[in-house]
Amino acid sequence: MTGKRLDSASRLRWFTDARFGMFVHWGLYSQLGRWEWTMHNERIPIREYEKLADTWRPKARCMRQWARLARDAGMKYMVMTTKHHEGFCLWDSAQTDYNAARRGPGRDLVREYVEACREFGLKVGLYYSLLDWHHPDGMRAATDPAAARRFREFSHNCVQELCSNYGPVDVLWYDNAWPALAAGGWKPERLNAMVRRLQPRILINNRSGTPEDFGTPEGHVTAENAGRHWEACMTMNGAWATCRRPATGCRFGRSWKC
């Protein structure tokens, strides 16, 4: 999608009015019944964790239930994880076979989500983690400039796919720009210029290394800067993903049940 790029105030108009949205964390970790940092916190080896990619069988078009719930609750937009730090892509990516279309689900989950949002009249938000525990250069990018370049190209290409293959996207929600920022950077100006060429009306958050359209304070309700748009990112239990047991090993301790 291309077209006339709107100024920031025009892009933000619907966001200012919307005020209330649903954030959906969804990935391979959903099968474990523990939170989204399980791979890292429990030191699960990549090859062991990868097995979850072949056993995941999400219900067909289950996102319609989420979208209906969001609409009925008065929400105006949704944001869903297209790739969390675990590195598994929920869309049919040409950048890696570690994706939902080529592994267990056997289909493009991002497309189903986008269709559900549109069916229920919700603005579409796509979350993309710039941190990746699975990609071979994902952690090496912190200290190896060559790895950082390769990983940056991979990441830019992934974002380009997300902004090219699903029609209008209303929000791009980056997360966790470390470690590649430490070794030459993401080139976020170049990345986001490409995003805005493809999606001239899109809103971009502040987690790729540039301020962009809005801030995202997490776990507290405090505006980052006076006069700047922001979105409070809140959970009720400290975990973003569904957890069925005490969050053993998480920073909130055993007394928190997720």
Side-chain angles (χ1 to χ4, degrees):
M1 175 185 176
T2 57
K4 182 179 179 180
R5 177 174 168 179
L6 299 180
D7 59 55
S8 183
S10 298
R11 292 196 303 270
L12 282 160
R13 191 165 293 123
W14 74 263
F15 185 73
T16 304
D17 295 336
R19 303 183 64 83
F20 188 32
M22 178 184 286
F23 208 120
V24 177
H25 266 248
W26 204 37
L28 299 181
Y29 47 83
S30 301
Q31 300 175 80
L32 298 176
R34 303 194 294 282
W35 73 327
E36 71 281 357
W37 276 71
T38 295
M39 178 182 174
H40 176 273
N41 285 8
E42 298 183 14
R43 303 296 189 265
I44 301 175
I46 288 176
R47 294 298 171 244
E48 185 67 23
Y49 195 84
E50 277 183 341
K51 296 176 183 178
L52 295 171
D54 295 319
T55 57
W56 195 22
R57 298 289 190 275
K59 294 179 181 178
R61 302 192 70 197
C62 56
M63 305 82 161
R64 295 183 71 252
Q65 298 175 19
W66 310 340
R68 181 186 291 110
L69 178 65
R71 182 201 61 186
D72 292 349
M75 298 179 185
K76 303 300 183 184
Y77 67 104
M78 291 178 67
V79 178
M80 188 187 77
T81 53
T82 65
K83 177 178 79 70
H84 200 255
H85 313 333
E86 65 179 10
F88 188 71
C89 298
L90 270 61
W91 75 97
D92 187 4
S93 176
Q95 308 310 312
T96 175
D97 290 339
Y98 198 53
N99 71 62
R102 304 184 198 184
R103 303 297 284 266
R107 59 191 203 271
D108 189 326
L109 301 178
V110 171
R111 186 169 302 282
E112 292 181 15
Y113 157 75
V114 170
E115 290 172 353
C117 286
R118 293 191 179 129
E119 179 181 351
F120 290 93
L122 300 167
K123 296 286 189 181
V124 175
L126 303 180
Y127 165 111
Y128 181 84
S129 171
L130 293 163
L131 174 63
D132 193 317
W133 300 322
H134 180 268
H135 192 285
D137 291 319
M139 302 307 293
R140 287 202 295 260
T143 56
D144 181 341
R149 286 194 297 272
R150 292 191 299 268
F151 189 51
R152 182 168 60 238
E153 181 179 3
F154 165 81
S155 302
H156 283 216
N157 288 341
C158 284
V159 171
Q160 183 175 22
E161 289 177 347
L162 291 170
C163 291
S164 301
N165 298 338
Y166 301 99
V169 176
D170 300 292
V171 179
L172 179 58
W173 215 103
Y174 293 116
D175 197 14
N176 216 325
W178 186 88
L181 277 177
W186 286 107
K187 309 297 184 189
E189 295 85 358
R190 188 179 78 193
L191 172 62
N192 291 327
M194 177 266 290
V195 169
R196 295 196 189 281
R197 284 196 300 272
L198 296 170
Q199 297 283 346
R201 297 174 178 269
I202 202 167
L203 298 181
I204 302 175
N205 76 336
N206 64 329
R207 297 196 183 188
S208 64
T210 54
E212 300 302 332
D213 295 302
F214 66 100
T216 53
E218 186 167 334
H220 58 94
V221 184
T222 307
E224 282 188 336
N225 306 107
R228 176 168 166 76
H229 282 74
W230 56 281
E231 175 189 66
C233 314
M234 304 295 289
T235 73
M236 293 182 290
N237 54 27
W240 290 100
T242 298
C243 300
R244 301 190 187 95
R245 64 188 68 184
T248 304
C250 81
R251 65 182 182 274
F252 299 98
R254 287 180 177 269
S255 62
W256 286 83
K257 290 191 176 182
C258 309

